[in-house]
Each structure stands twice: as C-alpha cells, then as structure tokens.
Amino acid sequence: MHAYMISRDSHASAEPRDRAFYQNPYPFYSELHATAPVFFWENYGHWCFAGFKEVNALLRDKRFGRQILHLATREQLGLPEPKPHVAAFDQTEKYSLLNLEPPAHTRLRTLVNRAFVSRQVEQLRPRIERLANELIDGFEADGQVELIKAYAAPIPAIVIAEMIGLPAEMAMQLVNWSNRMVTMYMFGVTHQTELDANQASAEFMDYLNGVIAERRSQPKDDLLTHMITTEVDGQRLDDEEIMSTAILLLNAGHEATVHTTGNAVKSILESGIEPTRLFAGDQQTAATVEECLRYDAPLHMFTRYALADVELEGGVRFKFGETIGLMLGAANRDPLRFTNSNSFDPFRSDGGNVSFGAGIHFCIGAPLARIELQVALKVLFQRLPALRLAAAPQYRDAYHFHGLERLDVRF
Ligand code: HEM
C-alpha cells in the first residue's frame, strides 16, 4: 500500500508521521511532478508547490513572506492565541531573522551577515580540517562507529559555537537544546514535546544570559561581542534581539549540516561510485557536495504567508493570510529541471538545488555549510577508504528535518 494518495482534483494526502512516508518521500514527489505539481496537501490544510521553477520563484516573490502578524492581528487571521506553556520557546523566536520581514529583517541580517560571507568563512577551512581529522583519530582504531554522533554532529556544532564565542565543550549541550527545540516544527507536536522544547529554550536562554553579561564586561573577538557592541542605523541591538539571533545562528548553524552530512554519506555509499572520483580536486568536491544537497535535501518544506490577495500565473489564487508550502526536497527532484532527476550523479552538467532557499531569507550560513561539508566528506572518505554501511540507515521521525537517526558504518 502507498504511503500517499493523489486525487484527480490535485488534492493529496500523505501523513508526515507515517514511517513509510518519511523514510522515503520521493515516490510521492515523482507522482506529484507527473500529475499535480501544485496541490492541496490535506494533512497540512494548505496548497503546496513541488516544481523547481515555482518554488524558486515563490521564495523570491515579495507578495509572500514569513511574517504576517505585522499586518494583521491573530484574531483577524483566525490564528490561535500563543500558548503560555511555550512562552520561553516563543521568546527565542521573537526576533528570529527567519520570522521577520523588512525592515526589521534587513537590520538584523545586515548586522550578522559580514561574519558569514565566503571570504570570511573560508578562513575557517584549516580549523575544520583539523577538527575532522581529530574526530577520526578518536574512532579510527575501532573499525566501526555511529557516524552522526561521532562525526556529523560535532563538526558544525563546534564550528558555530566557536564563531559565536562559546567553548567547544558546550557543543554537544547546544545540540541537545537545539534537537529538543526543533521538535516544535514537527507535524502533530504533542503537549509533552512542547513542554520539553520550552524547558530546553529556558535552559538555553539562561546559559546565554550569563555569557552575554560576561561579554558586556569583558568584550572578546567573537560574534556575540560584535552583536552586543555594533550599531546598526545608530542603534544597538537589545538583549531580546541578541538572544533570538544567537539562538537562531547556533541552532540553524548545525541542524541542517548534520543531516546533510549523514544523508550525503548514505547517498555516496549507496551509489557505489568510487569515492576517490568524487573528491578529485576542489571543483569536483564542490560539485559532489551540491549533488548531495540536491539528491537528499535536509529540509523539505518551508511555508510562506500571502501578504496580500495574490493571483499567480495559471490563475491560482490566494487570499491575504493564507499559507503556502514550498517543497525544497521535491523541487530538487523536478524532471523538468534535472535530467534523470532521481539519479545521484555528482558529474551532472545541470547541477543546482534550492536546498538553501532563495530570496531575502536565503541561508546566511550557506558558504559556511558548503565548506564544512566539503571538508567533512573529503577527509572522511580519504581517511577511511573502506567505509561501508553496517546497517540500513533510518531517517528520524520528522518530515521537515530529513536526517538520519543513526548511521552505523564499518571501515
Ligand atoms: C546544509 C546546511 C544548511 C541548509 C540546507 C540550510 C538551509 C536553509 C534554508 C532553506 C533557509 C531558508 C528558509 C526559508 O526561506 O524559509 C535557511 C535560512 C537560514 N540559515 Fe541555513 N541552512 C544550512 C546551514 C546553515 C548554517 C551553517 C547556518 C549558520 C549560521 C545557517 C543559518 C541560517 C539562518 C540564520 C537563516 C535565516 C536567514 C534569514 O531568514 O534571513 N544555516 N537555511
């Protein structure tokens, strides 16, 4: 039995918590491309877009945005009131770049952007190489390892912690807080999950409050100090803005990169392609990483609100405040954009992907993530040429965050 159904009137049902579905959503995507690239996803209750051209265009379309409460009240939009038992979580999100639109978005993004441009993050390459090698030194003699915990997670977590100005030893605690917080984006969140995510948010803020106070009295050469002391348009950020931005950077700074590393190792090992060919030279290494991002993206859907009544090409209409789903993972497999879209081919001439989004919310960490992935994958396959799967990898129960629960390998 299929894990999904698509009807003739472009209504689809696919349960995001159904194991068969989230283990492999790609057959659903293939059928959407063939029959209904614009469809109403019953389980979410909104229209979604699976085509590359449409997703790419809508991410850049200023008639849609991530924020809506700057234009209308909850009551007017029929949105539920905030829940008091997730107040700490909501607090961390209050000034998240990801939930803001201009001008508030521009102000915060400008402040942190400089630290993440290619020229700046390129300087981290030697540090990332050293880190990757040290981690492998730690398990090489064992002949086997669970790669997510031992390798995929620590690299981006330590790198972003150090950039912000937190000690590397805090990295796994940050991963723990972040993992508990992002469960809030799962479909069908339970009360218990909400309480735990809220608890993690409160602990995280408590810890950061201490560090922010420290930096105020003793500035350092790190991003946290930069956020505290730099003025934008003659204004400094207040504590709530610093807190939200630091938490967003720390969480976004590793979640998707960890998943991409795991998914990439799986894609490469399952392809049977000789790894030395994949990492022969910087250009091929970069192309391999892009194909890994395209073939098995870590983030599969982002939503937008219609900021006005909108009519799209083809006559599809949305009312002010309506939500749409942009399916990055599906867009990357669109046969109209990619030849043999369901094949993993790091040598393809029509490469590209929307895994980092597009438009004003385009991932600020993309240059950093690309370097981390290039280094982590290249070093791994060079150091452990006999790397192979020890068990069939299983994805975690979170449709949006498409990443592995475990990745057991031998070498
Ligand atoms: C493979 C790894 C990564 C992937 C696939 C990824 C993907 C994305 C995507 C799709 C968005 C846009 C969401 C939307 O349009 O609604 C985004 C935004 C963002 N990402 Fe990443 N990301 C990755 C790594 C990172 C890293 C390493 C950082 C480190 C700082 C980061 C920080 C951010 C931030 C701050 C935003 C919000 C930008 C804004 O709203 O202006 N990401 N990311």
Side-chain angles (χ1 to χ4, degrees):
M1 206 186 93
H2 278 324
Y4 58 85
M5 250 173 56
I6 305 172
S7 66
R8 296 239 298 269
D9 61 353
S10 295
H11 278 50
S13 61
E15 167 56 49
R17 302 294 303 270
D18 173 4
R19 188 167 181 81
F21 176 69
Y22 67 76
Q23 289 301 323
N24 183 10
Y26 296 109
F28 176 51
Y29 298 166
S30 286
E31 200 162 324
L32 289 171
H33 289 311
T35 61
V38 182
F39 67 101
F40 187 83
W41 194 335
E42 301 275 5
N43 309 65
Y44 283 96
H46 58 67
W47 286 86
C48 292
F49 293 79
F52 188 93
K53 192 170 142 227
E54 291 74 15
V55 168
N56 191 34
L58 288 166
L59 283 165
R60 298 163 196 268
D61 191 328
K62 298 220 164 70
R63 295 171 299 174
F64 294 90
R66 300 238 357 160
Q67 189 185 17
I68 188 75
L69 290 172
H70 60 314
L71 299 176
T73 62
R74 286 178 182 277
E75 205 176 5
Q76 285 164 334
L77 294 161
L79 294 175
E81 283 304 306
K83 300 173 183 168
H85 67 277
V86 293
F89 176 83
D90 287 346
Q91 177 73 27
T92 66
E93 294 246 298
K94 192 164 163 197
Y95 292 101
S96 159
L97 272 184
L98 212 38
N99 294 336
L100 296 176
E101 289 298 305
H105 174 264
T106 323
R107 175 169 170 263
L108 275 177
R109 180 146 176 149
T110 308
L111 183 83
V112 287
N113 195 43
R114 216 159 51 105
F116 291 98
V117 297
S118 301
R119 195 165 33 85
Q120 203 64 29
V121 290
E122 193 53 50
Q123 296 173 16
L124 296 173
R125 200 180 279 269
R127 165 69 182 130
I128 302 170
E129 268 164 7
R130 210 169 61 238
L131 187 56
N133 278 296
E134 281 166 10
L135 289 165
I136 295 175
D137 291 344
F139 60 72
E140 190 178 17
D142 302 342
Q144 60 176 39
V145 77
E146 196 288 284
L147 210 59
I148 299 292
K149 192 152 179 230
Y151 191 70
I155 295 175
I158 291 174
V159 170
I160 192 68
E162 290 182 346
M163 270 184 94
I164 301 283
L166 309 178
E169 302 77 68
M170 275 305 289
M172 292 325 272
Q173 176 60 67
L174 298 174
V175 171
N176 171 280
W177 283 327
S178 168
N179 286 171
R180 289 160 63 197
M181 288 170 72
V182 298
T183 55
M184 288 291 277
Y185 304 115
M186 271 171 51
F187 185 80
V189 185
T190 64
H191 187 77
Q192 194 50 41
T193 306
E194 289 178 338
L195 288 177
D196 188 54
N198 199 59
Q199 177 66 24
S201 309
E203 290 167 16
F204 202 164
M205 285 197 288
D206 206 35
Y207 166 72
L208 278 181
N209 260 325
V211 188
I212 292 171
E214 252 172 58
R215 290 298 183 283
R216 279 199 200 289
S217 58
Q218 276 183 305
K220 284 194 180 173
D221 183 17
D222 59 28
L223 199 49
L224 198 57
T225 309
H226 173 74
M227 285 195 263
I228 294 170
T229 54
T230 308
E231 290 188 352
V232 193
D233 305 331
Q235 271 185 322
R236 290 201 175 175
L237 297 191
D238 65 29
D239 275 8
E240 285 191 322
E241 289 174 315
I242 296 170
M243 184 69 77
S244 275
T245 310
I247 291 183
L248 171 67
L249 291 173
L250 286 163
N251 288 359
H254 63 80
E255 281 287 342
T257 318
V258 176
H259 299 331
T260 311
T261 311
N263 297 1
V265 171
K266 171 178 179 284
S267 301
I268 291 170
L269 292 177
E270 287 179 349
S271 76
I273 303 172
E274 176 53 49
T276 47
R277 290 180 61 215
L278 300 178
F279 302 102
D282 294 347
Q283 222 175 337
Q284 184 54 53
T285 301
T288 296
V289 164
E290 292 312 302
E291 179 66 352
C292 291
L293 281 158
R294 181 195 75 84
Y295 184 73
D296 203 14
L299 306 169
H300 277 221
M301 179 162 65
F302 280 95
T303 56
R304 292 290 187 267
Y305 292 109
L307 301 181
D309 292 343
V310 177
E311 179 165 351
L312 296 178
E313 215 181 300
V316 192
R317 287 196 192 144
F318 294 101
K319 281 206 175 64
F320 169 72
E322 243 183 281
T323 298
I324 57 169
L326 304 176
M327 302 183 56
L328 309 186
N332 284 344
R333 297 284 193 111
D334 184 349
L336 294 176
R337 169 65 177 78
F338 302 100
T339 326
N340 296 328
S341 59
N342 284 324
S343 302
F344 177 70
D345 178 7
F347 310 104
R348 61 171 61 246
S349 56
D350 59 354
N353 57 75
V354 280
S355 295
F356 290 114
I360 67 163
H361 293 284
F362 178 79
C363 178
I364 211 170
L368 173 62
R370 286 184 159 124
I371 295 174
E372 289 174 337
L373 291 163
Q374 289 162 11
V375 171
L377 293 171
K378 186 172 183 165
V379 170
L380 181 73
F381 282 99
Q382 276 178 347
R383 291 274 312 263
L384 308 172
L387 195 74
R388 59 198 186 279
L389 294 174
Q394 301 292 316
Y395 289 91
R396 300 194 321 178
D397 173 11
Y399 165 67
H400 299 82
F401 290 85
H402 186 67
L404 300 172
E405 219 157 43
R406 302 176 58 86
L407 180 53
D408 293 287
V409 291
R410 286 189 218 287
F411 38 84

